[in-house]
Amino acid sequence: MNSYVTGLLTMASLIMALGAQNTYLLAQGLRREHHLAIAAFCLTCDVILVAAGVLGLAALIQHSPLLVDILRWGGAAFLLWYGAQALRRAWRPAAMGTLAAAEPRSRRQALLAAAAVSLLNPHVYLDTVLLVGSLGSQQAAPLAYVFGAATASMLWFFGLALGAAWAAPYLARPGVWRLIDLLVAGVMFAVAAQLLVST
């Protein structure tokens, strides 16, 4: 039970940070477009990455300075690009109108975009595999730890998807989206700076 709770709390503390994956899921929830499928995909990614970290991928990353550097610099570049995109959207007055008027995506397209924001962001490997996974490998019951982390991910992703769909009528205003995009840009730039100054 201690390992389960540790996994739950560790993942919960990391997953709630506003990032590319959460922002994408939030936007899809507001559009009510394949948001539950995307939540399930995000959950699956988290479970696989945490389990991989617990089973030894975290140790492999830690013992490869080149891999750590690639993840760090690649992650920083991705986050800076994503932050710049959010900042650019924030200055467009009809952000929500553009979003709502966009051509609906197929489920396949929506899941491919979810894969990009989930797996092309190297920061996810530093957090989910390295931090969460390496802590899990030290637990008395690593499998219970993985289940705890999975529980946190499930509650968060499905809560975010369903909550966004419910709140869509209240948030479907350009001013709200401008604020969200400014917040996203700030978070992306801050995390990128953190990666760049880390040793």
Side-chain angles (χ1 to χ4, degrees):
M1 186 52 108
N2 280 349
S3 296
Y4 176 86
V5 171
T6 302
L8 178 76
L9 296 178
T10 302
M11 183 58 97
S13 68
L14 289 173
I15 204 169
M16 290 182 199
L18 189 60
Q21 188 183 55
N22 286 339
T23 306
Y24 177 70
L25 179 56
L26 177 65
Q28 291 301 112
L30 288 170
R31 291 180 69 177
R32 299 176 182 174
E33 186 178 85
H34 311 300
H35 53 295
L36 295 179
I38 293 165
F41 176 83
C42 294
L43 170 61
T44 302
C45 286
D46 269 8
V47 172
I48 290 171
L49 291 171
V50 170
V54 169
L55 295 173
L57 187 57
L60 180 68
I61 292 173
Q62 283 176 323
H63 289 92
S64 174
L66 177 62
L67 188 54
V68 171
D69 279 344
I70 290 170
L71 290 174
R72 182 162 51 101
W73 290 100
F78 176 85
L79 292 166
L80 287 170
W81 173 82
Y82 198 89
Q85 294 298 310
L87 200 56
R88 189 171 67 88
R89 283 193 310 269
W91 299 123
R92 290 196 314 203
M96 186 61 195
T98 303
L99 183 69
E103 193 71 24
R105 294 179 180 183
S106 68
R107 179 173 294 183
R108 181 175 177 274
Q109 290 172 320
L111 288 174
L112 283 174
V117 297
S118 299
L119 302 174
L120 293 182
N121 175 4
H123 200 267
V124 77
Y125 299 100
L126 296 174
D127 276 350
T128 311
V129 177
L130 199 57
L131 183 60
V132 180
S134 59
L135 181 60
S137 65
Q138 301 167 26
Q139 296 299 308
L143 188 59
Y145 177 89
V146 172
F147 278 118
T151 301
S153 291
M154 181 184 69
L155 292 172
W156 175 254
F157 289 130
F158 281 96
L160 185 60
L162 293 169
W166 173 81
Y170 308 103
L171 298 178
R173 291 182 299 223
V176 173
W177 274 87
R178 181 177 287 116
L179 197 59
I180 290 172
D181 279 327
L182 286 171
L183 183 60
V184 169
V187 169
M188 296 295 126
F189 292 148
V191 174
Q194 200 174 37
L195 277 176
L196 289 173
V197 300
S198 65
T199 55

